[in-house]
Amino acid sequence: MAEDWLGPLDSITKDEAEVPAKRMRLDSDSAQTPLPTAEDVEITAEDINPKPEPKPLTQEHVFGNLRLRRIVRENHNSTVAQIALMYYRPSDQGLGGHGMGGMQPYERSFDKRGAAIRDPSDNSNLLVTTGQTQASVFDNENCGDHLDIMSHFQLKSESDTELPLQTCCWVRSNDDAIFAVAGGDHHVHIISLAWTREIRILQGHSGPVIDLQPHPTDSRLLLSVSKDKTMRIWSVVSGECLCVYSNEATAACFHPEGVFLVAGAASGDVRQWPVPDLSTEPSEPYRLVVSDSTLIVSGKRTAGSVIDCLRFAKGNLLVKNASGRIEYWDLEQQRLMRSFGIRNHGISASRFDVSYDDEYICAGNSRGEAYIYGIESGKTITRLAHKRSVKPVTCCLFSRDCRSVIYAGEGGFIWRYDYVDDETLAEWEKPDESVSEEESSIE
């Protein structure tokens, strides 16, 4: 064994042994590294059975690993009418592609406590909810797994009867976090989180306001839908009404480029409406009637079911009705590309959401469940459910990085599901070693 690649030891003379070895000349300036001996080499279990290389993390894998991490119950104990995440970040110019092919990827970094590291001017962690006469703002990221309340607003009623809030949305502002709420008192209330107070009231509707939508590219503009058979575009800055649409709508949505808007009705019809040039405020509001619009989806297809939510994805229109049917329309060719139903939906109004890569939708049903579907395939990606969640879901949201899903509904409950990696899930599934064999046998 002494001869192997070193050669026979007895062939080396005494004089040769005493002569220092010549240094080998290296092409680089780095010193020669001595060869390791058998004692220096440590063989580990990974060397014998190497771990397979991790597979690339796909979005569908993320959705498959969503687990319930947080439950919050609002103190009004009533239906949460709507929830909205503040997606805008300081670098965003409007929604930057959402609805026209997807936004830029959003990567988060965290400190040792699990709190998100962000720029102080970045408010994209904020979540606003509306229910009864209350609006609450939660921190959805900075507290790790928590969903902690930051601010709470109570709508004061001039009468003895409570007029519940029915809708909310964020309004882009570079130096403040501003949101709008509206409902049974016919007004739109603009609230500043920095000032923790109401800063403006938009008055003009004569019926309950049931939907609010911010303009995707002009942060001054806000769309409201009311039961008084009108829709209005407002200037949040001046508080003035800039445009009035005579239309009995139940839901509406701006095109992602803001060039037109679509509105659904109780009959199941969806109409396309032009948006006037509002770069300068008119002295009198523009007034548009039904003849100024175009019918793009007929309610006869779905037996006249109420349209309760409209969204855009990849420039195409997603239409949902209260029966749980979702249709995906190519507006340029007036062609229905896909139609699918939400499982166990029943008859209930529920707002759905589109992921910020425009590839998936999340929608709830009347049994307290939420489903994620692929838009192009119509395939069910995952089902989110819990034994305590049994009441109708009224609204769903993706987080901007699509690693969390939040939904809410009747009873004042808010449910948040977060992505959990495979290693952590494997740890959770291990049996509890602290339980003795005797205790296990007793059970």
Side-chain angles (χ1 to χ4, degrees):
M1 294 300 294
E3 292 186 292
D4 57 2
W5 60 275
L6 291 173
L9 295 177
D10 56 359
S11 65
I12 300 177
T13 65
K14 180 178 180 183
D15 294 335
E16 291 173 333
E18 293 177 352
V19 176
K22 294 182 179 180
R23 183 181 298 273
M24 181 181 293
R25 184 169 181 174
L26 303 176
D27 292 335
S28 64
D29 295 333
S30 58
Q32 183 179 4
T33 304
L35 294 172
T37 63
E39 290 79 7
D40 296 329
V41 178
E42 181 180 353
I43 300 176
T44 64
E46 293 184 358
D47 296 324
I48 300 173
N49 296 308
K51 291 183 178 179
E53 294 185 5
K55 296 180 179 179
L57 189 62
T58 65
Q59 188 60 64
E60 293 191 9
H61 182 81
V62 169
F63 289 148
N65 279 29
L66 291 176
R67 297 294 185 272
L68 181 62
R69 303 301 305 276
R70 187 70 171 166
I71 305 173
V72 173
R73 188 171 191 178
E74 299 261 41
N75 60 9
H76 54 68
N77 297 329
S78 184
T79 299
V80 178
Q82 190 172 358
I83 57 179
L85 273 169
M86 169 63 138
Y87 291 109
Y88 295 113
R89 305 181 73 209
S91 59
D92 290 341
Q93 299 296 324
L95 287 179
H98 184 35
M100 290 297 292
M103 296 185 73
Q104 293 296 319
Y106 174 43
E107 297 293 336
R108 292 184 295 176
S109 56
F110 301 88
D111 61 19
K112 294 180 179 179
R113 299 180 293 107
I117 302 172
R118 65 173 61 253
D119 186 282
S121 61
D122 181 359
N123 296 318
S124 58
N125 60 303
L126 301 180
L127 173 75
V128 63
T129 72
T130 52
Q132 281 297 93
T133 58
Q134 302 178 22
S136 301
V137 178
F138 294 86
D139 184 337
N140 187 50
E141 284 185 5
N142 288 347
C143 301
D145 290 336
H146 299 288
L147 188 63
D148 285 4
I149 192 165
M150 297 175 59
S151 296
H152 180 77
F153 299 89
Q154 180 80 36
L155 180 65
K156 294 181 180 180
S157 176
E158 297 178 356
S159 62
D160 295 334
T161 59
E162 290 189 345
L163 302 171
L165 296 170
Q166 299 184 40
T167 181
C168 63
C169 72
W170 289 97
V171 178
R172 178 170 171 76
S173 174
N174 293 328
D175 54 1
D176 197 352
I178 297 175
F179 62 93
V181 296
D185 70 345
H186 310 172
H187 305 324
V188 180
H189 303 265
I190 309 298
I191 299 172
S192 163
L193 196 58
W195 292 93
T196 62
R197 64 180 177 85
E198 183 178 75
I199 57 175
R200 190 161 288 110
I201 300 178
L202 309 181
Q203 303 183 51
H205 282 298
S206 58
V209 179
I210 56 177
D211 199 12
L212 292 173
Q213 295 290 327
H215 194 281
T217 59
D218 191 337
S219 59
R220 299 176 304 117
L221 305 181
L222 179 68
L223 173 68
S224 61
V225 178
S226 173
K227 288 185 176 181
D228 64 3
K229 301 182 181 180
T230 67
M231 304 183 297
R232 293 173 180 255
I233 295 180
W234 306 84
S235 167
V236 177
V237 176
S238 66
E240 296 295 325
C241 177
L242 309 181
C243 186
V244 179
Y245 299 86
S246 296
N247 182 45
E248 192 172 357
T250 53
C253 183
F254 281 108
H255 181 270
E257 295 176 344
V259 292
F260 63 85
L261 62 87
V262 292
S267 63
D269 291 345
V270 179
R271 290 186 168 274
Q272 179 176 316
W273 295 80
V275 175
D277 181 6
L278 300 174
S279 55
T280 58
E281 296 189 8
S283 56
E284 292 290 331
Y286 293 100
R287 295 188 179 274
L288 287 83
V289 296
V290 175
S291 59
D292 297 314
S293 66
T294 303
L295 179 66
I296 55 176
V297 178
S298 173
K300 294 179 180 179
R301 296 177 45 80
T302 55
S305 184
V306 178
I307 303 299
D308 60 3
C309 192
L310 299 163
R311 297 288 183 267
F312 280 89
K314 300 182 179 180
N316 302 312
L317 178 64
L318 286 158
V319 181
K320 178 186 172 295
N321 62 36
S323 299
R325 174 63 54 180
I326 297 178
E327 295 183 339
Y328 188 41
W329 285 85
D330 181 339
L331 295 185
E332 290 187 0
Q333 300 182 14
Q334 292 289 301
R335 178 174 63 92
L336 176 62
M337 296 188 290
R338 182 167 299 282
S339 176
F340 52 94
I342 302 169
R343 295 185 182 181
N344 306 318
H345 187 274
I347 305 296
S348 63
S350 178
R351 292 178 171 96
F352 68 92
D353 194 26
V354 177
S355 64
Y356 268 55
D357 58 5
D358 280 5
E359 295 290 343
Y360 305 94
I361 62 172
C362 180
N365 64 17
S366 59
R367 297 187 180 183
E369 305 166 334
Y371 288 88
I372 297 176
Y373 298 93
I375 293 177
E376 295 292 341
S377 65
K379 182 179 72 172
T380 303
I381 307 301
T382 193
R383 168 180 173 265
L384 305 176
H386 189 270
K387 62 183 180 181
R388 290 178 58 190
S389 179
V390 295
K391 296 184 178 181
V393 174
T394 56
C395 43
C396 293
L397 286 177
F398 288 105
S399 64
R400 180 161 167 167
D401 63 356
C402 289
R403 296 205 173 195
S404 296
V405 168
I406 307 171
Y407 66 81
E410 294 183 6
F413 285 101
I414 303 170
W415 311 78
R416 193 182 80 182
Y417 288 75
D418 297 331
Y419 166 72
V420 180
D421 60 68
D422 292 336
E423 185 176 350
T424 303
L425 286 179
E427 287 291 328
W428 289 354
E429 292 172 0
K430 287 182 179 179
D432 188 354
E433 297 179 356
S434 63
V435 179
S436 64
E437 294 182 3
E438 293 182 1
E439 291 174 335
S440 299
S441 61
I442 292 173
E443 293 177 0

